[in-house]
Each structure stands twice: as structure tokens, then as C-alpha cells.
């Protein structure tokens, strides 16, 4: 659907169609709504796509992060290295597990966690590294796998932005001991709300137990067996499973993911072609041998070289051109709950965060929508 110039072009909008409606209708008609056959089929689709040992479909990426840490036994007294240039979900999960997030700086080109900074932050209390693939550009997967192995650390990939991306021939999400994905409404594919845990079978088995109250068999497996009290609770768990209704959307969306990603890449290429050379504007780089997932098209606006700063640019794009944008992210160490949490300098994070703006970049956009954005930027730079 093409937007007119008087309508706001949203920063993001999901793309759902008849396939999602058919899957959801089938689920409603089946009478089985909670975690069951659709969740199992969705788990299988992602497991086979990534080539990982196991997957567990859950209610959100945040739930997956919490389960990942609990399943690995990370808790009080443990330190977890992670970027501050991320969403609060991973640090919040660390705190909820009783562990301490240790924020390290990012690389200036990809805005991904810097392996050298992570190495420098390792202490005897470090138990894990949670990397994040910023905007869909994978971080240095080889370097982080080596670092984790060298220091016997758990490696978790927060791949909320990168369900379909790769670097050096390695698929994001296939390297961590555990990986978490998000299917929140604005992500590269959506289940409305939802997440997936992927990775080592031994850890996923623990997460599955913890995410199902600690009950040692699933409701679907008990269903129809007559004796619903025939279960035990072996650990005090939580309730984090994905419903079949959400999984039904996931199945249809996952089949479309290659086409969605191709369209995102087209939009990104069109932006780069049209915007390259504007003074003070840094466009997202793609390192060689990288397949970018293009969840975000993040630009950086240098207030000393551009005619406008980031905040004013966002305001004028909306007020004068009816184009919505977003910021990724307010660094976590600048949030109130984390005001005392930065014990390493984070100069690259702070500068990038003050300059960053995410342009609309999603498959529901038309060519006209793309032209609106590029024309508006040229007008504001004139
Ligand atoms: C990097 C990152 N991790 C985790 C999350 C949390 O995802 P969810 O809303 O599915 O819990 C997000 C959400 O935007 C995110 O950007």
C-alpha cells in the first residue's frame, strides 16, 4: 500500500497476508491453542534453517534471554560481558538472573560489540558473553567463538535483529552455545509477540524444562492421556512457552523470510545509492563476506559536518515530510536503572548513539515510499 505525502510513513509496519490468516484459522479451528503441534513445526523450521541442534519457541526474545542465562546456571556473583549499544532486554535478563552486566564498547563501522574490548573486560568472575548483531549486521562470530572457547565462557548471540544474516559463510545464530531471536511486531518476521531459543541440545533441554514451570512433560504430550496429574516439577520454573496461535503466524512468516530479506536489501541499496556523498552523513557499511539482515538502515549524522543534527533531523522529517524514524538505541548504561553500571569507557558507543537514526526499511514499503525518504533527506541537506 503506497502512502500519500500527507500520510505518515511509519518507521516500521509488519507484512502479513492470506497465508498467515490461513495458518491462524487452521489453529483456531483445531481447538489446540497453546504450545503444541504448530510450535513444534515452527521450532523444526527454524532448527533446520539454521542447522542448530535444537530450538524452543517462547513468548518473547526477553524470555529466551532469561531462560538462556538460567539454563546455563548463570546467577549471583557472575559477570556477563555485553554491549551497552543494545536494547535493555539482555541486561535486564542478566540482572533478573542475579548476574552483573559488564558493558563494553563497539566497533565504529558496524556498531557491533568489539572483540578486543570484550577480551579486555574478562575477569575471573566472567561467565558469559552476550553479543548482539546490530541492525542485522553480524558481529565478528569467529572472534567471539574463539574468545569464549579460550576462556571457557558461554557465548550467547542476541540475534533479535538477525534471523537471516551471515558473516564469513557462518550464519548468525549458529555459533553461540545459545542464540535468541525476537518475533516482536517490528522484527524481520513476526508472531505478534514471540521469541526462539536455539543452540546446544543439552542447554535447550534445560531451558524447555525451566520455561514450562519445571514440569517434566508438555501439556501437548499429556493431552488425551487421561491422567493430567501425571507430572512432577523437578525445578521451580517459569511460564515462557509460545502459543500455537503465535507459532501459526511464525510458520507463514518464516516461509516468506528469504523474500522479505531480499526486499530489505533492495531498499537498503536504493538508500545507499541515493544518499551517498551527503556531507556529514555516514551510511551503514557492509563488511566483505557479509550477508546483512537489514532489520535497520541506521544512519549517523555528524552535527559538525551536516547542516542539521540527528534530533532536529528526526523532528523535521516527521513535521515537514511526514516520515517517522527511530533511534537504536539509548545506550543501556545511560538508563536510570543502570546509571552506576558503566565501569569501562564507552566513547564509540556514546558518539554513535548521539548521531544514530534508523530510517524506515521494511518489505511493506513501496518504491514511492523509498523516494519520499530520499527526496526528504536531499531537501533537508540543500
Ligand atoms: C537487540 C534486542 N534484543 C532483544 C529484544 C527484545 O525482544 P522481545 O520484545 O521479543 O522480548 C529486542 C527488541 O527490540 C532487541 O532489539
Amino acid at each position: 500500500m503506497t502512502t500519500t505525502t500527507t500520510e505518515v510513513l511509519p518507521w516500521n509496519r509488519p507484512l502479513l497476508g492470506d497465508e498467515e490468516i490461513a495458518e491462524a484459522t487452521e489453529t483456531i479451528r483445531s481447538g489446540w491453542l497453546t504450545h503444541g503441534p504448530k510450535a513444534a513445526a515452527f521450532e523444526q523450521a527454524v532448527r533446520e534453517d539454521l542447522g542448530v541442534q535444537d530450538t524452543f519457541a517462547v513468548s518473547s526474545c526477553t524470555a529466551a534471554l532469561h531462560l538462556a542465562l538460567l539454563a546455563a546456571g548463570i546467577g549471583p556473583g557472575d559477570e556477563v560481558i555485553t554491549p551497552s549499544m543494545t536494547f535493555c532486554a539482555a541486561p535486564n535478563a542478566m540482572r533478573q538472573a542475579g548476574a552483573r552486566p559488564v558493558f563494553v564498547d563497539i566497533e565504529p563501522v558496524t556498531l557491533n560489540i568489539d572483540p578486543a574490548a570484550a577480551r579486555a573486560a574478562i575477569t575471573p568472575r566472567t561467565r558469559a558473553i552476550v553479543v548482539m548483531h546490530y541492525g542485522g549486521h553480524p558481529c565478528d562470530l569467529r572472534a567471539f567463538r574463539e574468545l569464549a572457547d579460550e576462556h571457557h565462557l558461554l557465548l550467547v548471540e542476541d540475534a533479535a535483529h538477525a534471523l537471516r544474516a551471515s558473516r564469513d559463510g557462518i550464519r548468525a545464530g549458529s555459533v553461540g552455545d545459545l542464540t535468541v531471536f525476537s518475533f516482536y511486531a517490528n522484527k524481520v518476521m513476526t508472531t505478534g509477540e514471540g521469541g526462539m531459543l536455539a543452540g546446544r541440545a543439552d542447554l535447550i533441554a534445560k531451558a524447555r524444562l525451566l520455561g514450562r514451570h519445571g514440569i517434566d512433560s508438555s501439556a501437548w504430550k499429556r493431552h488425551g492421556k487421561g491422567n493430567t496429574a501425571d507430572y512432577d516439577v523437578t525445578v521451580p520454573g517459569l511460564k515462557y512457552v509460545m502459543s500455537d496461535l503465535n507459532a501459526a503466524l511464525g510458520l507463514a512468516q518464516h516461509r516468506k523470510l528469504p523474500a522479505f530479506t531480499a526486499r530489505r536489501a533492495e531498499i537498503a541499496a536504493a538508500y545507499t545509492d541515493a544518499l551517498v556523498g551527503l556531507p556529514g552523513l555516514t551510511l551503514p557499511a557492509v563488511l566483505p563476506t557479509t550477508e546483512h539482515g537489514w532489520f535497520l538502515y541506521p544512519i549517523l549524522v555528524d552535527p559538525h559536518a551536516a547542516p542539521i543534527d540527528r534530533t532536529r533531523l528526526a523532528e523535521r522529517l516527521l513535521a515537514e515530510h511526514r516520515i517517522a524514524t527511530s533511534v537504536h538505541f539509548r545506550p543501556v548504561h545511560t538508563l536510570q536503572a543502570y546509571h552506576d553500571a558503566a565501569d569501562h569507557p564507552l566513547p564509540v558507543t556514546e558518539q554513535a548513539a548521539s548521531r544514530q537514526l534508523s530510517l524506515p526499511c521494511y518489505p511493506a514499503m513501496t518504491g514511492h515510499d523509498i523516494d519520499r525518504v530520499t527526496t526528504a533527506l536531499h531537501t533537508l541537506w540543500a
Side-chain angles (χ1 to χ4, degrees), residues 197-216:
L197 194 54
R200 273 172 41 193
D202 59 328
L203 292 171
I204 298 281
K206 288 185 183 160
R208 212 180 269 281
L209 183 66
L210 282 164
R212 220 168 45 204
H213 303 287
I215 292 179
D216 58 1

Side-chain angles (χ1 to χ4, degrees), residues 103-126:
F103 297 116
V104 299
D105 215 352
I106 52 172
E107 300 171 336
V109 173
T110 61
L111 311 187
N112 274 318
I113 179 170
D114 181 347
R119 177 181 288 278
I122 293 173
T123 75
R125 289 177 299 284
T126 307

Side-chain angles (χ1 to χ4, degrees), residues 304-327:
H304 310 294
I308 189 166
D309 70 21
R310 182 275 308 271
T311 303
R312 191 81 189 109
L313 175 61
E315 286 166 2
R316 290 188 61 189
L317 278 171
L318 187 60
E320 295 166 27
H321 299 273
R322 316 282 289 153
I323 293 167
T325 54
S326 188
V327 166

Side-chain angles (χ1 to χ4, degrees), residues 11 134-135 271 295-300 310 317 323-329 355-361:
W11 170 70
Y134 182 87
Y271 278 159
F295 167 56
L296 301 179
Y297 188 89
I299 60 172
L300 298 177
R310 182 275 308 271
L317 278 171
I323 293 167
T325 54
S326 188
V327 166
H328 294 88
F329 293 92
R355 298 180 174 190
Q356 194 279 342
L357 196 67
S358 299
L359 300 182
C361 182

Side-chain angles (χ1 to χ4, degrees), residues 59-65 85-90 132-133 158-161 180-187 193-195 295 328-329:
S59 52
S60 70
C61 182
T62 308
L65 282 158
M85 186 72 159
T86 188
F87 188 58
C88 60
M132 198 272 279
H133 306 303
D158 180 345
H161 299 183
V180 296
F181 295 106
S182 174
F183 308 120
Y184 180 63
N186 71 13
K187 293 300 187 289
E193 295 278 2
F295 167 56
H328 294 88
F329 293 92

